Each structure stands twice: as C-alpha cells, then as structure tokens.
Amino acid sequence: MNITIVTACPGGNATSWLAAQRLARAAERAGHTPAVHGENPGAADLVIVAASAPVDLSRYAGRPLYRATPADALADPGRVIETARGAATPYDPAEDAELEPEPAAEPVSRAGGDGARIVGIAACPSGVAHTFMVAEALTDAGRSMGHEVRIETQGSVGARDALTDEEIAAADIVLLACDIEVDDSRFAGKRVYRASTGAALQRARATIEAALAEAAVEPEGPAEGGAPAPEPEPQDAVKDGIKDRGVYKHLSAGASFMLPMVVAGGLCIALSFAFGIHAADEQGSFAAALMQIGAGSAFKLMVPVLAGYIAYSIAGRPGLTPGLIGGWLATGIGTGFIGGIVAGFLGGYTALAVKRLVPLPASIQSLNPVLIIPLLSSLATGLVMIYVIGAPAAATLSTLTSFLNSMGSTDAVMLGLLLGGMMCLDMGGPINKAAYAFGVGLLSTHTYLPMAAIMAGGMVPPIGLGVASLVARPKFDAAEREGGLAALVLGLCFITEGAIPFAARDPLRVIPCCIAGGAVAGGLSMYFSCKLMAPHGGLFVLLIPNAINHIGLYLGAIAAGSLVTGLVYAVIKPRLTGGAGAADVADSLDLNPSRAS
C-alpha cells in the first residue's frame, strides 16, 4: 500500500520532521511504501495527516484520509498506521473546517463546550524558560481539544505575541498562568481563571478543562482616587481591585523585576575583574567605571526594586512609592535583601490599609493616590524601618554574612549540598527560586560562595539528562533524544527548566537523580571554595577572566554532578517497550545498521 504522510506542527520543523520519520519507518516495517508530503497525490492509497497546525489538503480530495496528532505519531507510530488502514474515510475539502475562514460574528459564550476561544498570559519570575514552555503547552493542549488558544508571554524581554483588544473582546475565557503580578485591567468583565505556571506546564489539558468550568468574572477595581466599589466575593479574594495571591507570588513579583538589575550589575562587576582583581581601585580607569555601574549603581538599586515591586504586587501603584523608599532605607541602614523583603511587605500592606481605612470627603478624593496614600504609607514604612526593623534586620544579615564567610569545610559542604539539591527539586519552581534568591541577595554583601554552588547545582539537571540521552541511546525515543540535546545546551546556559520535559515524563526517577547530582555539584563547589561574581550566564560567564576563582575545580564540580545524574538515570531508566525498542529508535533517525544488510 502506498501511504502518503503529511505532518505539521506550530512548534517548528523538528517535531514535524520527527513525526514524519517515525511514521515512515513504521510503514516500511509493516510492508507499505511511504511518501512524506508526496508530490503525486493520485498514487496515494492512504493519506495520514499528523498535524496540530492548519495544512492545505485540497490535493488529496477523494483519497482515503486519516487524521492523528504529532504526539500520537511520536509515541506509537505503528498503532497510527494500523488504525489508519481501517478508519480512513474519503476526504472532502468542503467539509474541512480548517480551510474555511473564521466567520465574523459576535462573541458567543461557549463555556465548558468545544471550540471555545481562550486567551491568556504566561509569566514566571525569571521569564526565561518557564514562561515560553507554559505558553506552548497550553496552546498545543488547547488546539488538541478543539479550542482556539492565544497566549501572550511576559518574559524577561517584555511581552511577546501581545493580545489585541479584538482578541480579548472575542474571547470566552481568560487563562492567566502566572507566578507574578501582571496587569489584568484589560480583562475587566471577562471570565478569568488563574493557575500557577507549574500546574499549567505539567497538566496543561487539565488546566484548560478547569478554566472552562471554573472561570469567573472579576470586577473592575475602583479608579485611582475614586470611591471604593462594593466588596464582592470573587475568585482569588479580590478586594478593592487587588488580588491577594499569597506571599510567594508577591516575592516572585519583586524578584522578577530585580533579576535583570542583578544580572546586569553582576556581569559589570565581573567584567571589571577581567582587568585585575584590584583594577577598579584606580580612580578614572575603565575598570572603576564598570565597578561604579555594577556595584555602585545596579547593586544599590536591586534592594529598592525588590521592595518596590513586592509592594506593587500587594497594593498596586499606591504601594510602589513606600516600597521603593523602604527598600532604599534598607540599603542605607545595612539590612540588605532581608530588610528589603520586610520593607516591601510593610510598604504594600501599609498602602493597602491607608487606601481602605482613611476616610476622605468626596471633594478631595482625587488627592488620595497622589498625596494621602504616598505620604502616610511612606512615613509609616520609613519610621518603622528606621526605629523598629533596622537594627534587628541589620544584625541578622551581619550574623549570616559572618557565618558564611567563616564556615569550616564541613559546614560549607553541607550548605552546598542543600543549595544544590534545592535548585534541582522543582526545577524553576518555588524551592528553586528560593535558593536562587538567597544567593542573589548575598551578592550585595560581597558573599560569593553560595552563588557559585547555586549555579553549579542548577546546571546539573539538563546537562545530566542530556548525558543520559547520549549514554543510553536505546532507552530514549527520538523525541527524547532531540530533547536531550536541547537540554544539554540549556544546561550550559544555566536554564534548569530544560530538564522539565524529562521530569514530567518520569518524575519518580528523574527528580531524585537530579537532586543527587545537584547536591554533589553544590557540595564540591563549596568544598573547593569557588566564588562566582555574576548571578547568571552558565559556562559563558566563565569566559570573563576572574569572574570565578578555581575555574578548573568549578568545572570539575559541574561535571561530577552531571555525571552522577546522567549515569544513574541511564542505569535505572527502563527500556522502551511496545514496539518502540532500540531498532525502532534507530529507525526514527534513519540510523538502523541492519538496513544495510
């Protein structure tokens, strides 16, 4: 039988090509003659379309046609071929909805049904990998369920694929998969569902189903300075237009705005060290200018930015002023990032309290956002920081810094084991972010040991799993092999999220292997007294002279941790079964040595 295979995927050419190759090899093993995107439609006895994106099939009119998804083709191509032989039906272009333009009509409420229009936002604290992976997962899951999905990403480079007013107006529901505060005022009056990025990434289909069933209309908050609207009982405890999303999300919001400041400042400091460790001491030199930009400006602003946007997450724009002022005071009185966190929550909740509790006559309500809230909340935050919080927080930070700088080798190794393991436990989730924030915060006190252990531990999961996919090739299917190569590159860039696809498929084996490897890397880094001056960049930051000391030992720590993860997982990972064995894997990449015989 002549089988024509047509594949298409919105994620790019790689998945589409792999799906086509898997189907072609399976067809050959079953005794058929495959043609990928064949140029002679009349010769096709059967057409198999594995597509999750629109494709023009008009030339196959009248031919027996069967539809599948790229995921089906990658998982079990043999079953797709066998099913297609019995289930294919003659193709009629007139009945193909994919080729018809979307009718112009008023939005129709189809909540809970098929064909819903879904728009949303994906945003995580770092905005590097999780954000875009969540958007792709939701888009693919929604399309496979028959829905129209558009997800805007708000990553570290700003908003991409921004939603238009027309798309929002036509949407049936809004899905916000965010771990940070985002501006949701444009969705006023729409049915909104909120989820974490972790839940949306690992359970994309279930998240969409929950959104269709549970999304609720959120009221529009009161205009700045206007009279408060009656307090409703909506989703996520909406009060005065402010959504209480918990301590972690407020911290994450502050950290997401602080991160670019820290990375830029840290790299400037590292570049100044390239001219010599003490080169910045020479006034007027280029190294001194780099140090002034990094340590003298960016690092001084990191704590106020952290505090300001924690407060902004809590109270909206009224919280920004007291948060920034409290953060600057935290820097001046020596409380560092600990004082900044306290100032952020203090400023945010103080602004919220003033907004709710201070009654004003209607005639001067307009003064509320520009005078009353900033003045009262800033005074309260500043006085508490100076007279109450300052001394204890400064003493706490000083004690912590002294302890870290005077640790013995055993204490250092134990801390490295802990930080390295935390970086691998949830791979970009709250625990990972907590460890990373701890290391970043200590940079402002010139404590560099923990940051080195944290980056070493965070690089291990994707590198180790990439190693496993190379060492135990017969145990990985074609898609996993390609994912292993991608993970290897992401690991070198210190993007721990590159390991998430493997952890999602096999969490009970992958996560313990990653924790073990990350702990080894972090412990060795601390044992070798490796100090990292920059908070990001992976191996590429090591190209900057003096950015890290003991560079050879540091690379050895990363390599040792990666080998622990990769080799252990290569041993315990089960072999492929159900027609997807070693020969099938080799066939998928056209590497089967038996084909030559």
Side-chain angles (χ1 to χ4, degrees):
M1 177 182 290
N2 295 321
I3 299 179
T4 293
I5 297 167
V6 180
T7 59
C9 176
N13 294 328
T15 302
S16 176
W17 181 85
L18 282 171
Q21 295 302 308
R22 295 274 284 170
L23 289 171
R25 302 299 174 255
E28 288 180 353
R29 286 193 297 275
H32 307 300
T33 303
V36 177
H37 299 276
E39 296 297 328
N40 185 10
D45 300 314
L46 172 65
V47 179
I48 297 178
V49 180
S52 56
V55 58
D56 184 3
L57 303 173
S58 57
R59 58 179 174 166
Y60 301 113
R63 315 305 302 177
L65 186 142
Y66 176 78
R67 294 183 183 275
T69 66
D72 295 333
L74 290 170
D76 196 345
R79 178 176 295 181
V80 172
I81 297 293
E82 185 63 27
T83 303
R85 292 181 61 192
T89 58
Y91 173 64
D92 182 0
E95 299 176 358
D96 192 345
E98 288 185 354
L99 300 181
E100 295 181 1
E102 186 74 23
E106 293 298 319
V108 180
S109 178
R110 292 158 294 180
D114 293 336
R117 292 189 182 97
I118 302 171
V119 299
I121 297 176
C124 74
S126 58
V128 177
H130 251 95
T131 298
F132 305 100
M133 295 169 72
V134 167
E136 183 177 357
L138 290 174
T139 300
D140 290 346
R143 286 175 177 169
S144 70
M145 298 166 68
H147 305 304
E148 180 183 330
V149 181
R150 275 273 289 113
I151 303 295
E152 173 184 315
T153 57
Q154 294 193 8
S156 57
V157 294
R160 287 187 176 178
D161 298 322
L163 299 171
T164 65
D165 293 339
E166 292 76 14
E167 288 173 325
I168 295 172
D172 296 314
I173 63 169
V174 178
L175 201 169
L176 302 180
C178 305
D179 288 335
I180 61 173
E181 182 73 19
V182 297
D183 181 10
D184 55 7
S185 59
R186 50 188 166 150
F187 305 124
K190 307 296 294 185
R191 296 177 63 236
V192 177
Y193 180 81
R194 300 179 183 276
S196 67
T197 56
L201 181 59
Q202 297 174 23
R203 300 181 297 277
R205 190 182 186 95
T207 299
I208 290 175
E209 290 172 349
L212 291 169
E214 302 173 18
V217 176
E218 295 186 355
E220 187 173 3
E224 294 296 337
E231 191 167 303
E233 297 291 341
Q235 181 185 14
D236 278 346
V238 178
K239 295 182 180 179
D240 291 321
I242 305 300
K243 289 78 175 173
D244 186 3
R245 299 184 176 88
V247 171
Y248 170 68
K249 287 196 174 181
H250 299 319
L251 276 172
S252 295
S256 69
F257 283 95
M258 178 188 71
L259 183 60
M261 189 81 64
V262 178
V263 172
L267 289 174
C268 285
I269 293 171
L271 286 170
S272 75
F273 289 143
F275 297 92
I277 294 297
H278 302 292
D281 295 341
E282 183 181 344
Q283 294 298 318
S285 65
F286 187 64
L290 291 173
M291 184 63 72
Q292 184 178 358
I293 294 170
S297 300
F299 271 27
K300 282 187 177 180
L301 286 172
M302 61 179 264
V303 173
V305 168
L306 171 66
Y309 281 97
I310 289 175
Y312 176 83
S313 176
I314 295 169
R317 281 184 294 173
L320 192 58
T321 298
L324 289 170
I325 292 173
W328 187 259
L329 286 171
T331 300
I333 60 182
T335 61
F337 76 100
I338 295 176
I341 292 172
V342 173
F345 282 100
L346 181 61
Y349 285 114
T350 301
L352 203 56
V354 173
K355 181 178 180 181
R356 291 176 181 171
L357 302 177
V358 176
L360 290 175
S363 59
I364 59 171
Q365 280 282 350
S366 60
L367 295 177
N368 214 23
V370 296
L371 175 61
I372 307 300
I373 295 176
L375 175 61
L376 295 182
S377 60
S378 297
L379 275 174
T381 301
L383 291 172
V384 170
M385 286 297 299
I386 293 171
Y387 290 112
V388 180
I389 303 297
T396 301
L397 183 64
S398 177
T399 301
L400 176 61
T401 304
S402 299
F403 168 73
L404 292 173
N405 289 330
S406 62
M407 281 188 305
S409 60
T410 301
D411 292 334
V413 170
M414 292 300 295
L415 180 61
L417 290 170
L418 175 63
L419 293 174
M422 288 175 67
M423 289 298 294
C424 305
L425 184 59
D426 54 0
M427 302 177 193
I431 296 174
N432 171 285
K433 291 293 189 293
Y436 183 71
F438 175 75
V440 166
L442 290 173
L443 290 179
S444 62
T445 67
H446 307 290
T447 304
Y448 302 113
L449 285 169
M451 192 69 247
I454 287 165
M455 191 163 85
M459 292 171 66
V460 161
I463 295 177
L465 293 169
V467 169
S469 69
L470 296 174
V471 171
R473 292 175 64 84
K475 293 186 176 183
F476 292 81
D477 63 27
E480 289 175 321
R481 285 173 160 183
E482 181 177 326
L485 295 176
L488 201 59
V489 175
L490 292 172
L492 296 176
C493 300
F494 183 38
I495 299 177
T496 314
E497 290 90 338
I500 288 177
F502 293 90
R505 292 190 189 100
D506 191 10
L508 296 181
R509 295 185 182 90
V510 168
I511 293 176
C513 292
C514 291
I515 292 174
V520 168
L524 287 175
S525 174
M526 293 291 280
Y527 179 75
F528 296 142
S529 298
C530 297
K531 296 181 180 181
L532 179 64
M533 313 299 175
H536 216 295
L539 291 185
F540 299 99
V541 79
L542 305 184
L543 299 176
I544 302 174
N546 300 313
I548 186 167
N549 61 340
H550 311 315
I551 187 169
L553 294 174
Y554 189 61
L555 291 173
I558 296 171
S562 300
L563 287 175
V564 168
T565 294
L567 296 180
V568 172
Y569 186 61
V571 171
I572 67 175
K573 178 176 169 62
R575 291 186 176 274
L576 296 173
T577 57
D584 186 42
V585 172
D587 276 344
S588 70
L589 293 179
D590 205 16
L591 297 173
N592 194 340
S594 65
R595 191 173 305 282
S597 59

